[in-house]
Amino acid sequence: MNWPNRITVLRILLVPVLVAVALRVPAHPGLLRVFLALVFVSAFTDALDGAVARLTGQRTPLGGILDPLADKMFLAACTVLLACPLWPWEGAGPAPRLPEWVAVVIVSRDLFLGLGSAVIYLQTGRLRAPPRVVGKITTVLQMALVAGALLPRLPAAVLDLLAAGAVAATLGSWALYLYDGARQLR
């Protein structure tokens, strides 16, 4: 287990902490700052683990699995929290909210890709899922959407543009991975 993978495991372990803190915000509005700090730390460590792996030549197959998994867990948790009408932003400051359908698209794609990968592996005994530029762009746009939704003074029109970009990239990458998966099953 090298340092980039340790950092990625830290990101994975931060996700349940992030959710637990978020759920405590209504009773303790001061925890909103802790939640925002955890989002920042998660985003920072996402950049850090990749940079350390590239700069030190420590890319590993395990890191190739853990890094996207950490991204998906973080983004799914944040988009669901920000889209949930029951989520406790009321009284804790501005209400950064995403339309529920945006969270449904993002989470559905990730669940579909995970299940599709399992099916391909079980059917063929192997899985080729190299990182694609469209996947990296999708992750960046989804993270920008989460960050934008957390900014209290971001105009709604800008948040709508971020959501449109993230959804378009998500659907585009979903289509590409669906095509790739179908080819691997043939």
Side-chain angles (χ1 to χ4, degrees), residues 65-141:
I65 294 168
L66 291 179
D67 185 61
L69 177 65
D71 289 342
K72 286 171 183 18
M73 290 175 64
F74 170 77
L75 288 166
C78 287
T79 55
V80 168
L81 285 168
L82 291 170
C84 181
L86 303 175
W87 204 66
W89 285 96
E90 318 307 326
R97 297 247 343 257
L98 298 176
E100 288 91 353
W101 66 269
V102 171
V104 168
V105 168
I106 290 170
V107 173
S108 295
R109 173 214 175 235
D110 290 342
L111 288 173
F112 182 86
L113 293 180
L115 289 173
S117 296
V119 167
I120 291 168
Y121 184 78
L122 291 172
Q123 290 294 315
T124 67
R126 62 185 178 358
L127 175 67
R128 290 183 317 270
R132 301 222 181 253
V133 172
V134 69
K136 292 186 179 294
I137 290 170
T138 300
T139 300
V140 167
L141 289 174

Side-chain angles (χ1 to χ4, degrees), residues 158-178:
V158 175
L159 188 58
D160 290 344
L161 281 173
L162 287 171
V167 166
T170 300
L171 292 173
S173 67
W174 193 347
L176 177 63
Y177 289 124
L178 178 62

